[in-house]
Amino acid sequence: MITCKEMLTPEDQVWAEGVLKKFIAKMPEVVKRNEGKMPYTTDENGRYDDRSDLTKFPKYCDGKSWWTNGFWGGLLWQMYVVTKDPLYLNAARRLEEDMDDCFREYYGLHHDVGFMWMPTAVNDYKITGNEDSLRRAHIAANFLAGRFNPVGKFIRAWNSYWGDHNQGWAIIDCMFNISLLHYAAKEMGDPRYQEIAMMHADTVIRNFIRENGSSNHIVEFDPATGEKLKELGGQGYGVGTSWTRGQAWALYGFLISYINTGAERYLETSCKVADYFAGCMKDKDYVPIDFDQPAEPAYEDSCGGVIAACGFLELAKVMKEQGKEEKSQQYLAMGLKILKNIDADRTIWDQSCDAVVQNCSASYHDAKHHFTMVYADYFFLEAICKLNDTGIFTWEA
Ligand code: GLY
């Protein structure tokens, strides 16, 4: 089994070790300062918010069931594997237990349960064997399987509290959520979960991935007949454009499907998206929100960058294992380019900001751009762990 670390030059190994040391130096104070919180973003003073605060976020879908809440747990588990410091285990466990309220409330839950419970409960079970964590993973997987539309063969995105207009919506992001179904299939020995995950992924290949390797964010199907109705712009610049984080979800998500199933079509799709992404990045030293956005304002999304970088690093390994040396080098170089640009100009390593990665943007047409997002820190750390041959592969069944 090839590791990312052994593919690096000695200079790149030193750089990657240096970044990991910066995480190790920064995180203990951040974790202590934010005890009991479910962080998403930092305020003007650089301090994390708290999505578990029901006085500020009384609606569960924005609060305790906010889709990014599991990433803080994922970051804590990565740090625990790296350092073995119980500070991280205790904080991760507390968050995971606090998230049980989401199951009790139920109505705030959505398609992103994979993002919520893979980095938390599944990592906990993989690392410690905690049986309570396994039960949480089962509950979440069954919930996700229940969102499958068997006629259209897709997992429904979002809920009716935004109106009934979205019963037929599917989104590229779910290429990550289905890793929970692969995990459930393996853990329970029940192929139904894997079948649902693969049917969804095949629908995405047919209906989301364009000829040039770019991906739609949202596709609307008729929920009763399964007929494809239209493509929607979602969080990118517009209809038909390439929201970079969506490209990253596709690039890395299809690779995870390949890793979890061995089906070559998922690897081919991941490479197709990766080649498109790399082509768009040729003359850029930052990742925009959308590859088709106007040149000015030069809005960035470092978060899409770090997710894509994780995918490029894993793809480099797979290509090397298959003897495709040149492709492996290209993907490795692209992953490193993105990560180094972020490390150099888009990080804060002192305690003035709780988050590390800067210049993230949730959506092109939001009023606010260039802020911090906890999942950018998670994926940046995941990438740096890969380069140091440490951490845990959260998305592997
Ligand atoms: N899953 C939604 C996003 O990437 O913003």
Side-chain angles (χ1 to χ4, degrees):
M1 188 73 176
I2 285 157
T3 67
C4 285
K5 189 173 177 176
E6 69 197 52
M7 294 192 295
L8 296 181
T9 62
E11 292 75 28
D12 285 339
Q13 280 189 11
V14 169
W15 167 76
E17 277 166 27
V19 182
L20 189 59
K21 280 189 190 143
K22 290 191 273 187
F23 268 108
I24 294 168
K26 173 161 175 153
M27 291 318 294
E29 279 190 57
V30 175
V31 173
K32 285 178 204 153
R33 196 162 43 237
N34 291 288
E35 206 189 323
K37 284 190 184 174
M38 291 184 181
Y40 168 57
T41 188
T42 47
D43 62 18
E44 58 286 357
N45 300 315
R47 296 296 160 240
Y48 269 135
D49 59 356
D50 180 11
R51 292 270 163 168
S52 73
D53 181 349
L54 294 173
T55 61
K56 293 209 177 89
F57 300 101
K59 250 173 90 184
Y60 255 69
C61 58
D62 298 328
K64 277 204 168 177
S65 296
W66 177 239
W67 75 278
T68 68
N69 286 349
F71 288 106
W72 179 237
L75 190 146
L76 295 166
W77 283 117
Q78 297 288 3
M79 289 303 299
Y80 177 67
V81 172
V82 171
T83 64
K84 297 291 176 296
D85 185 339
L87 169 77
Y88 298 114
L89 182 147
N90 292 335
R93 206 38 89 59
R94 181 175 170 170
L95 176 96
E96 184 185 329
E97 287 169 1
D98 209 6
M99 283 169 61
D100 282 349
D101 284 345
C102 307
F103 294 136
R104 282 188 279 274
E105 172 69 15
Y106 182 78
Y107 289 115
L109 290 177
H110 39 68
H111 59 277
D112 280 328
V113 291
F115 280 128
M116 292 176 73
W117 278 281
M118 284 299 279
T120 51
V122 173
N123 273 345
D124 189 349
Y125 183 68
K126 284 181 186 166
I127 294 165
T128 73
N130 181 10
E131 291 291 332
D132 287 338
S133 303
L134 185 60
R135 184 170 53 242
R136 292 177 181 118
H138 284 186
I139 295 169
N142 277 306
F143 176 84
L144 186 59
R147 299 185 66 91
F148 185 67
N149 180 316
V151 182
K153 296 187 173 47
F154 64 87
I155 289 169
R156 180 191 170 176
W158 295 306
N159 288 328
S160 303
Y161 39 71
W162 284 304
D164 280 338
H165 66 283
N166 57 17
Q167 288 175 351
W169 285 19
I171 56 174
I172 193 63
D173 324 26
C174 276
M175 285 308 300
F176 263 67
N177 287 305
I178 59 173
S179 62
L180 178 62
L181 299 176
H182 291 299
Y183 181 74
K186 186 171 164 207
E187 207 45 57
M188 297 186 221
D190 184 337
R192 287 176 306 146
Y193 299 96
Q194 174 119 318
E195 286 158 11
I196 291 174
M198 292 180 80
M199 282 191 275
H200 176 83
D202 292 340
T203 298
V204 174
I205 292 180
R206 284 194 304 276
N207 295 285
F208 282 67
I209 307 300
R210 307 181 187 117
E211 211 35 58
N212 69 356
S214 67
S215 174
N216 282 297
H217 181 193
I218 305 172
V219 172
E220 180 174 356
F221 300 91
D222 183 322
T225 67
E227 183 197 350
K228 181 175 178 177
L229 296 179
K230 58 177 180 272
E231 296 166 355
L232 299 153
Q235 285 160 255
Y237 183 61
V239 180
T241 68
S242 307
W243 174 47
T244 52
R245 201 159 61 252
Q247 313 313 301
W249 293 136
L251 187 170
Y252 194 15
F254 274 105
L255 184 65
I256 292 162
S257 274
Y258 168 71
I259 290 168
N260 285 331
T261 65
E264 282 293 327
R265 61 188 183 279
Y266 301 145
L267 179 59
E268 282 160 21
T269 307
S270 175
C271 289
K272 190 169 163 179
V273 180
D275 292 340
Y276 171 80
F277 199 109
C280 294
M281 284 299 297
K282 233 181 225 134
D283 308 317
K284 286 195 170 59
D285 57 8
Y286 68 94
V287 177
I289 301 176
D290 192 310
F291 284 129
D292 300 306
Q293 72 189 35
E296 293 295 333
Y299 289 142
E300 303 186 14
D301 180 28
S302 305
C303 185
V306 288
I307 298 161
C310 286
F312 277 117
L313 298 184
E314 288 293 333
L315 262 183
K317 278 199 298 189
V318 174
M319 291 296 112
K320 195 166 176 76
E321 275 159 12
Q322 295 191 348
K324 296 173 183 155
E325 192 60 41
E326 195 182 333
K327 222 57 208 143
S328 171
Q329 285 301 324
Q330 280 171 10
Y331 290 148
L332 179 64
M334 184 50 61
L336 289 174
K337 171 179 156 166
I338 294 169
L339 294 170
K340 284 183 179 178
N341 279 329
I342 286 171
D343 177 43
D345 300 320
R346 293 161 182 87
T347 49
I348 293 182
W349 291 108
D350 63 23
Q351 300 294 332
S352 65
C353 182
D354 285 341
V356 172
V357 178
Q358 310 293 309
N359 288 17
C360 303
S361 301
S363 178
Y364 186 90
H365 293 288
D366 280 354
K368 193 174 164 200
H369 301 101
H370 297 189
F371 52 99
T372 67
M373 305 199 300
V374 69
Y375 56 123
D377 278 22
Y378 169 79
F379 280 104
F380 189 43
L381 178 59
E382 184 185 307
I384 295 303
C385 284
K386 288 180 198 301
L387 294 173
N388 283 280
D389 202 9
T390 182
I392 180 162
F393 194 178
T394 297
W395 315 104
E396 190 174 36

